[in-house]
Amino acid sequence: RRVVFHKVEDGKSDIFIVDAESLEEERLTEDSYNNLWPAWSPDGSRVAYTSQRGAKTDIVTIEVNSKRTEDLTASIDGLDRWKPAWSPDGKRIAYERPTKIVYTPGEPLYVNIHTLEMDSGIESNLTNIDSSNTPFGVWNGTPHWLNNEKIAVESNVSGDSWSDRWIIDAQGGGFIRRL
């Protein structure tokens, strides 16, 4: 009945909810940051999103009713995190994270899928690819939970310059199958 999305207004992105019947919009974020890629929590009470905060991009949650926010990844390290996706049981959030803070022009990029345990704050690297024989690196991204044990991701881990869909083990057991 409601759709969460980001849109650009006044030169920056914010998170909105639209009612599917009335088409009335509600603005969730009103801060100085660019806020992108929202994802509903399984119970619909919170939204996780990517927030560009200064020189770093974090995963933030907002409670839909109170608008209270929590920056989940600010204190972990200086690395960016993008495109959150909640596990079906609401206990973890998966997202993209690069292996370095700054890449030089032409340097291969390496991005992995990580999860954050909501109760403990422990981050785990599920795809764990930090080097390859390809000139363009490896990008593992756009996580989509299939169930609490498997996540579909885009990846060029096969060595191609394009991405395919893969199934990975949500417990950290690596790549399961190329789709």
Side-chain angles (χ1 to χ4, degrees), residues 47-49 59-63 68-70 72 86 93 118:
V47 171
Y49 59 94
I59 303 299
V60 175
T61 60
I62 186 167
E63 290 181 2
R68 187 179 74 81
T69 62
E70 181 181 7
L72 300 177
W86 292 85
I93 294 179
M118 297 300 289

Side-chain angles (χ1 to χ4, degrees), residues 68-92:
R68 187 179 74 81
T69 62
E70 181 181 7
D71 190 331
L72 300 177
T73 59
S75 64
I76 297 176
D77 57 30
L79 296 170
D80 291 328
R81 287 156 179 85
W82 316 290
K83 298 183 183 175
W86 292 85
S87 63
D89 62 11
K91 294 180 179 180
R92 292 178 288 168

Side-chain angles (χ1 to χ4, degrees), residues 6-18:
H6 73 263
K7 75 174 180 177
V8 176
E9 270 196 3
D10 303 322
K12 70 177 203 65
S13 293
D14 273 306
I15 307 300
F16 290 79
I17 295 175
V18 65

Side-chain angles (χ1 to χ4, degrees), residues 8 41 47 67 92 140 143 154 163:
V8 176
S41 64
V47 171
K67 307 268 191 307
R92 292 178 288 168
N140 300 301
E154 293 178 36
S163 295

